[in-house]
């Protein structure tokens, strides 16, 4: 008897991301994914209509899982600045275990060829920046962050800083420790938001 559908779908997604991390999304084929999982290529098409669907579902799952990982930072106890600092650390730790993500984010497949993939990434980014903006607003209200802070703008800027870091990490073939970049990133970003 075969594996449960959700288990098999998860294996396919994880394998697609692993292959993307190794060779880039352009070179990911359903046959390469099948080989990595150890199944027939036809099995993939019982679970997904296309390679793009695999990556769209992967982005949705990564986004959903990331927000779950970050939830204690968004709604937990403690000062907003400490929770935001922890959020950056947790986010980089999570992404460091999902090396295929930057390969998708910076691919032509996302930017030019797959409207569904782009839609899913935009949705994840919107959810993330909305939650970060809310945390920043909480920090403004508590006096932790600058009272003149444009929280929506700063949330987008944090996302841009992290995306730039992920681009560098990907270009350098994941050679440096992504998690160790959280403190320098926090030091830079905190200068723009903390109360003076």
């Amino acid at each position: 008897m075969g594996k449960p559908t959700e288990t098999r779908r998860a294996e396919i997604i994880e394998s697609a991301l692993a292959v993307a991390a190794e060779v880039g999304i352009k070179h990911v084929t359903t046959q390469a994914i099948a080989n990595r999982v150890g199944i027939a290529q036809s099995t993939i098409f019982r679970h997904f209509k296309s390679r793009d669907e695999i990556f769209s579902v992967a982005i949705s799952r990564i986004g959903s899982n990331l927000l779950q990982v970050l939830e204690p930072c968004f709604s937990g106890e403690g000062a907003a600045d400490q929770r935001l600092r922890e959020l950056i650390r947790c986010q980089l730790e999570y992404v460091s275990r999902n090396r295929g993500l930057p390969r998708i984010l910076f691919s032509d497949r996302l930017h030019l060829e797959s409207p569904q993939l782009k839609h899913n990434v935009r949705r994840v980014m919107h959810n993330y920046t909305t939650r970060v903006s809310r945390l920043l607003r909480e920090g403004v209200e508590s006096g932790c962050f600058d009272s003149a802070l444009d929280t929506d703008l700063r949330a987008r800027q944090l996302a841009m800083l992290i995306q730039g870091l992920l681009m560098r990490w990907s270009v350098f073939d994941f050679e440096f420790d992504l998690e160790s970049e959280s403190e320098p990133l926090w030091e830079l970003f905190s200068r723009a938001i903390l109360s003076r």
Side-chain angles (χ1 to χ4, degrees):
M1 185 170 170
K3 293 186 178 180
T5 297
E6 274 311 302
T7 302
R8 183 62 81 197
R9 282 173 63 90
E11 286 178 346
I12 291 168
I13 289 167
E14 287 167 23
S15 294
L17 290 169
V19 174
E22 291 168 9
V23 299
I25 192 171
K26 183 177 182 178
H27 300 292
V28 176
T29 63
T30 52
Q31 186 60 59
I33 297 166
N35 291 347
R36 184 150 194 129
V37 178
I39 57 175
Q41 186 179 21
S42 59
T43 303
I44 289 178
F45 293 111
R46 282 202 293 273
H47 298 282
F48 297 97
K49 293 177 194 161
S50 66
R51 185 181 73 140
D52 276 355
E53 185 184 11
I54 296 169
F55 286 119
S56 289
V57 172
I59 287 293
S60 294
R61 284 190 184 192
I62 287 171
S64 176
N65 291 343
L66 176 61
L67 289 176
Q68 281 184 315
V69 166
L70 300 180
E71 185 57 35
C73 301
F74 289 131
S75 61
E77 298 295 317
D81 63 332
Q82 292 307 308
R83 286 189 285 137
L84 186 58
R85 185 180 196 169
E86 179 66 5
L87 180 141
I88 292 168
R89 189 196 66 74
C90 288
Q91 183 171 356
L92 295 184
E93 179 185 355
Y94 178 81
V95 173
S96 72
R97 295 189 311 266
N98 291 279
R99 292 180 173 197
L101 178 61
R103 298 288 200 217
I104 295 170
L105 292 178
F106 307 118
S107 70
D108 281 349
R109 192 90 202 130
L110 168 68
H111 293 271
L112 302 171
E113 300 165 4
S114 176
Q116 183 60 47
L117 190 55
K118 183 185 279 190
H119 171 78
N120 284 0
V121 169
R122 285 179 174 175
R123 186 176 44 76
V124 168
M125 290 172 73
H126 174 75
N127 290 342
Y128 171 81
T129 55
T130 298
R131 298 299 303 276
V132 170
S133 180
R134 206 174 299 155
L135 177 55
L136 290 168
R137 233 179 344 270
E138 183 184 325
V140 168
E141 290 165 5
S142 69
C144 183
F145 299 146
D146 189 332
S147 61
L149 199 67
D150 181 334
T151 59
D152 291 338
L153 173 64
R154 292 300 186 207
R156 290 193 306 273
Q157 289 173 335
L158 178 59
M160 287 186 287
L161 283 170
I162 291 172
Q163 288 164 4
L165 177 58
L166 295 185
M167 168 68 93
R168 187 171 147 257
W169 187 53
S170 180
V171 166
F172 281 87
D173 294 322
F174 317 113
E175 289 177 354
F176 63 87
D177 179 26
L178 185 64
E179 292 176 58
S180 70
E181 298 291 320
S182 69
E183 275 306 302
L185 196 153
W186 166 250
E187 286 171 22
L188 174 67
F189 188 66
S190 65
R191 290 186 199 129
I193 62 172
L194 292 175
S195 293
R196 290 166 174 65

